[in-house]
Amino acid sequence: MSVATLHHADVHGAHDTHHEHHHHETFITKYVFSQDHKMIAKQFLITGIIWAFIGGLFSVLFRLQLGYPESTFPWLEDIFGHWAAGGKLKPEFYYALVTMHGTILVFFVLTAGLSGTFANFLIPLQVGARDMASPMLNMLSYWFFFLASIIMFCSLFVQTGPASGGWTIYPPLSALGDASSGSKIGMDLWLVSMAMFIVSSLLGGLNYISTILNMRTKGMSMTRMPLTVWALFFTAVLGVLSFPVLLSGAILLLFDRNLGTSFYLSDIVVAGKILPNEGGSAILFQHLFWFLGHPEVYIILLPAMGMSSEIISVNSRKPIFGYMAMVGSMFAIAILAFLVWAHHMFVTGLNPFLGSVFVLLTLLIAVPSAIKVFNWLTTLWKGSIRFTPGMLFAIGFVSLFISGGLTGIFLGNSALDVHLHDTYFVVAHFHIVMGVASFFGMFAGVYHWFPKMFGRYLNNTMAYIHFWVTIVGAYLIFWPMHYEGLAGMPRRYFDYSNWESFKQFASLNQFISFVAMIVFAVQLLFVFNFFYSIFKGRKVTSLNPWGSNTLEWTTPLRPGHGNWPGEIPEVHRGPYDYGKDGNEFIPQTTPVGEHESHH
Amino acid sequence: MKAFLMVLLGVLIFVVIFQIAKASEYVSVLKGEEKTRRQNNRINAFLLMGLLIFGLIGVWYCNELYYGKTLFPQGSASVEGEKIDTMLYITIAITGVVFVITQILLFWFSYKYQESDNRKAFYYPHNNKLELLWTTVPAIFLTVLVVFGLKYWFKITADAPSNALVVEVTGHQFAWEFRYPGADGVLGKKNFKLTTSKNNLGVDFSDPASKDDIHLSNTMHIPVGVPIKMVIHSQDVIHDVGLPHFRLKMDAVPGIPTTQWFTPKYTTAEMKQRTGNPDFTYEIACDQLCGANHFAMRGVIIVETMEEYKKWLAEQKSEYATLFEKKEETKPVADSVAPKQTAQVLPAQK
Amino acid sequence: MSSVAMEQQQKIHPHKFTLWVAIGSLVMMFAGLTSAYIVKRNQANWQTFDLPVLFWYSTGVIVLSSVTIFLATRAFRERAMLKYRRLLAATLVLGVLFIALQALGFQQLWAKGITLQKNVSFSFLYVIVGLHAAHVLGGVIALLLLFAKAFSSKKRIYNLVPIELAGTYWHFVDVLWIYLLIFLMMIR
């Protein structure tokens, strides 16, 4: 395999004859087993959108239960059969939906769909490379993701139901088929799917790192790279270093499940059976899981940060304020991401001293985050702001990042976490800061780069409706959840009506569910806009519709495999010379003038 | 039928939006794209300002509606939890100020610096002093929060006072079990391999300390004003003893016992008065997903005065007595319980 | 273009770089396992074990195979194709021998009562050593591909990169094994 690829890549590197290959391309090599990074990006994006639809639909279903616990919906039984007997979800199925919602959105949408799409699409275009370091591995990365998707999708239909132990799959619940029906075959499929997914992320990540470090065009020094590329670089590094640890944790779990080992199991009596396992530690899994799990949060968030930085700068017609500080803060976040995992485990009986170290390191993350926020604000200050749909979503990202980031200060402080842990406060926190905010970053990216991807624009009116309903809806859904959390209302409950302490929130839950359905419907509008515009959108007529400095806009309207028909342009300056010396923008390819001011 | 109509309505709204969206594209071509773009820009800037104003009003309104439903107006029901409440207020104050300032700046800048013919963007790539400012100021505030936080953290995680009353809490799918050490103040040993349907905690009754231990399910009684130490076990998967009123939470992990302690401030009766809710109950909520009936894993704590507690305790029979006296009854010759004999009756004893 | 190509030539070959990053990633996986091992070791119920003697032989074999693949690379560079093929074949055989010795070592352990399920420490031993053997197997497959290519008459391109990649990976699994062996000996 590698041999064939190498030969192929060498030919590409040595001669500049890509575009001549084009007439050899068949439908299969162009659209299915494509090695063109742009096509692979689109494959990731479209698969991600399909998953987002499924994951979002699941959330609507379980919100239906939470909002209307007394009602029955006969059509549910028509669709889900015995899982919704009598028109009411079974708790087992509810938890399966919750688990799948988390798994799908965290891994398949906001990891693969987000960085898979934009790392593939933007890295070669923005650093000035004809393709990834290894197009073959890149293609494999997508197909492993596809395989993982298929396996996960199949797990939805097994007799005993898909995994239902939460996306964090804590053993022993996930290890014992007797403890939960979702921990039977569904869990094995989950683990196998995740192993495929990890391979996919690693293959992708390796490529992104090598491409960024090795394939930059002439003049594209590291400090001239757009922040998007920097963000995707740190994302890839985080992924490459943390996913293998999850894999090792998952392998041990597979052994415990199927081969009778006791890595995570000890002293267990389940379903009336005394298990022979002794000496394992369930907490060990949590360490291994969160060693990935926490960097994973930044794997999701950093690309959104990078893209928002880029889009805010372009549309404010101003340089991003403090480029080096932005890079430095992302670097700091990436480092700290590896040192804070145990803040998810303050109530597991963690050694208090160890806990205090993690408190300190966790709250340290607020410093680079604050730098980023203030730098974004200063970028907007005295700008000349154009509210393209991409820009609106980028501003929305900043707003959500502030709101969700600040509640992280509550949860990172162990004394408060003891009260707030696993309540709706946490649900509100991570949905705002990592769920919705990252989605906003992703939407911003899609609206901004859609013209480059498909040579057409998305419809603006639908885009504006999408933005306004989504941001108002997101706040309406998640803001009140903080209050539920402050009342100690636990997350992952099927029904609160028997709880004296929590049943007072019934009407609020109903309201949240109602808004959630509207927001979901508006996402369908986006999906429609997306697919409609690929074929029927307004055509792009100018090479650089946003007046942007970066290299992707120097390619033809619909770049072929190889990106630039002629030579790859040379870079002479940083990516953010907007409004400098009275010029509205100065592309990176413009040589530095003699009398140009220095900053 | 209703669902079908809803879907139909949704589709209809979709079609209308789509038609408007398409039409607006043609209108913009007729009117001139640049003109439309500028008009859209003004509208969106205006809406962002609106979002800020209505957002801040909404934040205030949400607080009006739901603050009363949180646990804070009634105060912490444990002495230790008071500090956590203080901590929470400090954090809300600091983050609240930052939240309001940054959101105002974000939307106000967006509105004020919208594209305009009268103004060009101000080239301002960096300013080290400013960046240093917003590195150090957050760092200082965070230090304050960390210092307070850790002070309280070490207090609540410190060892329980020596006069603490020990109660063993065991979680299993999907209920809570409580064990009191009885008169000798020592809990009998357990071994999970001894678990049977009757001896469902796997107590080792060959241990003399186990003879006077009291075993209860789902409801626990504790006296007010005395430190209570919970020793927490799990029999199957990870559970979590969540005590929202006492501001405490601790996982129950199979094979690894954990502890938490607190001093209840108010009896259940007092809390009924404080909250004005005659149905008020201290509830133990399982806070760690533990399977299909996770949501129904409810325990009840009854906090009472010392006298009431002592009276209640005196009425309780030891687990040993309940288990083996019954056995005696089935035997033809009922006699006083002989510990040695019963120890042999137990299965799997080594 | 030529200037771009020139500049890219000076840097490390992208595939080699990719391999190094991949090695970093694999290191993280084994670091995860070995640190889990250390954490578990400090808890109750840990039984120590002696490694089978066969693991020493397998260590010798894999070190030797590192030497042969190093020589094979040199032979390839000198265009001594016959020598290259022989050394490559030798490496391949040694690789398979290594895996076989590991399997036999497992058999010995099992016979001594050190079985997979008996104690967490034993489970760790099997998982860590087994996972390493799986990585050697991956290397063997890569070598097989190279080997097949060395005999195919179709292409005669002297491309050094594949053999260098295989060599780097092979040295990595070798060093990894030595690390694991020392780790398992020192920390039991």
Side-chain angles (χ1 to χ4, degrees), chain A residues 6 210 213-214 240 259 279 567, chain C residues 1 12 15 18 25 40 117:
Chain A
L6 284 176
S210 308
L213 292 181
N214 282 286
V240 161
L259 295 166
E567 286 187 11
Chain C
M1 180 63 211
I12 178 172
H15 289 99
T18 307
S25 181
K40 274 303 330 165
Q117 301 169 358

Side-chain angles (χ1 to χ4, degrees), chain B residues 123-177:
Chain B
Y123 182 75
Y124 192 49
H126 69 104
N127 178 332
N128 291 346
K129 271 185 200 160
L130 269 181
E131 287 164 76
L132 197 67
L133 177 76
W134 51 64
T135 311
T136 44
V137 173
I140 291 166
F141 278 107
L142 287 167
T143 316
V144 174
L145 290 176
V146 168
V147 168
F148 275 104
L150 291 184
K151 201 176 116 194
Y152 298 148
W153 166 247
F154 283 120
K155 271 204 179 124
I156 55 175
T157 54
D159 287 335
S162 52
N163 65 335
L165 190 128
V166 178
V167 185
E168 185 196 76
V169 182
T170 305
H172 62 82
Q173 290 181 326
F174 296 92
W176 298 105
E177 311 279 343

